[in-house]
Amino acid sequence: MPGAEVEARIGDVVHFRGRVVVLHEPMQLFWAVDPIGERRIIDFHEFAVRIVTEVESAEGAA
């Protein structure tokens, strides 16, 4: 999963979108960095996380 672009959501609201830099499986969380350099800890218990495909990324940029 490191290097993957992900979205972290609560319900239908995206709270964070960025690239995974470090995965810490024992604690079920990871660190990710968004396009402007903000680094966040994302907890799988708090957020619904999904990997964003390259196609979705390109469509979002258009």
Side-chain angles (χ1 to χ4, degrees):
M1 188 157 143
E5 184 169 342
V6 296
E7 279 186 350
R9 295 175 172 249
I10 296 176
D12 291 334
V13 179
V14 176
H15 287 264
F16 184 83
R17 184 172 178 155
R19 291 219 178 266
V20 176
V21 291
V22 176
L23 176 62
H24 193 278
E25 290 184 49
M27 294 186 70
Q28 295 187 339
L29 55 82
F30 62 89
W31 286 263
V33 177
D34 70 10
I36 61 170
E38 178 185 355
R39 184 177 166 113
R40 298 261 315 257
I41 294 175
I42 306 297
D43 184 334
F44 288 107
H45 295 280
E46 183 178 354
F47 296 96
V49 179
R50 72 180 190 100
I51 295 175
V52 180
T53 65
E54 289 182 27
V55 173
E56 289 174 312
S57 294
E59 288 174 353

